[in-house]
Amino acid sequence: RHDEYENILAVRNLDITENILYYNPDTGYKISGYYTDAVTADIDNDEDMRKCMEMLKRLHNSGVRVAHRFDIGERITFYERLCMTHGGVPYEDYPQVRENSVRLLDKLSSLNRPEVLAHVDSVKDNFLFVNSHKELKLIDWEYAGMADPLIDIAMCSIYSYFDKVQADHLTDLYFGESVPGEQERGIVYAYMALGGLLWALWAVYKSQLGVNFGEYTLIQYRYAKDFYAEAMSRLT
């Protein structure tokens, strides 16, 4: 919550968050202005998603920095340890999938990618259109931190259960008039695979505590498996 508070203070001059009236970094209590006509982004509406990607790009290009990072490899290890202390990971091929994730992390590290302030939880439900769809706000900043900007495209994609064609289209919307190369697409695929593994482990741990996410867990784990090969074929 202290990180979230730092994030909110860091981006306040960008005018992209909801109207936050009060935030307590010790308790996490937050009071925001209520929007009577708010609707979330429609993933099937190109204009909606173009505006969402433009907002992310503006955030990434803002030069705003915070003192903390979002390290996806560290988070995978963190939730893996929690799972292992509460009954393990229930997938026979997990050792291979985990090994593949290490290869992806090593490959990404070798690319010396830029780190900017990324939202990380850049899913459709956190983009709110308000004022009769004339304004866009981005909410829920608890995961945000310094990271590769392309992670935000990946997180949006896997939350919406996008396939490769849809993820490519979202990447195109983000790049706008520029044309993403094979490496950029491979990086998005890599974060889709790593994000899938992270949220699968998160959901497994939650299920061990009695909160079941149903098919979400398996779908995210499938991203970890399917997009590993897609990423490596473009990053080698």
Side-chain angles (χ1 to χ4, degrees), residues 130-223:
V130 300
N131 189 19
S132 301
H133 224 78
K134 296 175 184 175
E135 295 181 62
L136 179 61
K137 302 296 181 181
L138 182 55
I139 67 172
D140 290 354
W141 290 80
E142 64 265 36
Y143 290 108
M146 303 304 292
D148 186 328
L150 297 186
I151 196 172
D152 278 342
I153 303 173
M155 293 300 186
C156 186
S157 295
I158 63 176
Y159 181 84
S160 296
Y161 298 169
F162 278 179
D163 59 22
K164 188 165 74 72
V165 172
Q166 291 170 303
D168 284 347
H169 183 56
L170 190 66
T171 303
D172 290 338
L173 292 177
Y174 176 88
F175 275 84
E177 294 182 358
S178 304
V179 178
E182 285 296 290
Q183 184 177 92
E184 285 84 5
R185 294 202 189 279
I187 291 166
V188 173
Y189 298 156
Y191 284 118
M192 289 176 70
L194 293 168
L197 180 58
L198 171 61
W199 301 126
L201 290 171
W202 173 83
V204 167
Y205 171 61
K206 292 293 185 180
S207 71
Q208 293 165 339
L209 301 181
V211 183
N212 198 315
F213 285 85
E215 67 173 3
Y216 172 86
T217 311
L218 290 175
I219 290 172
Q220 295 305 315
Y221 191 64
R222 175 58 62 183
Y223 277 116

Side-chain angles (χ1 to χ4, degrees), residues 8 48 69 82 85 98 137 141-142 145 164 170 217 235:
I8 290 169
D48 272 14
R69 301 176 64 241
L82 287 177
T85 59
R98 186 66 171 96
K137 302 296 181 181
W141 290 80
E142 64 265 36
K164 188 165 74 72
L170 190 66
T217 311
L235 297 179

Side-chain angles (χ1 to χ4, degrees), residues 17-51:
T17 70
E18 76 272 34
N19 182 21
I20 299 171
L21 305 172
Y22 170 83
Y23 190 94
N24 186 318
D26 295 318
T27 64
Y29 293 159
K30 177 172 67 175
I31 301 174
S32 300
Y34 182 75
Y35 297 103
T36 59
D37 63 347
V39 293
T40 58
D42 180 355
I43 60 171
D44 297 316
N45 184 310
D46 264 12
E47 189 59 27
D48 272 14
M49 299 314 297
R50 181 179 290 106
K51 289 178 179 177

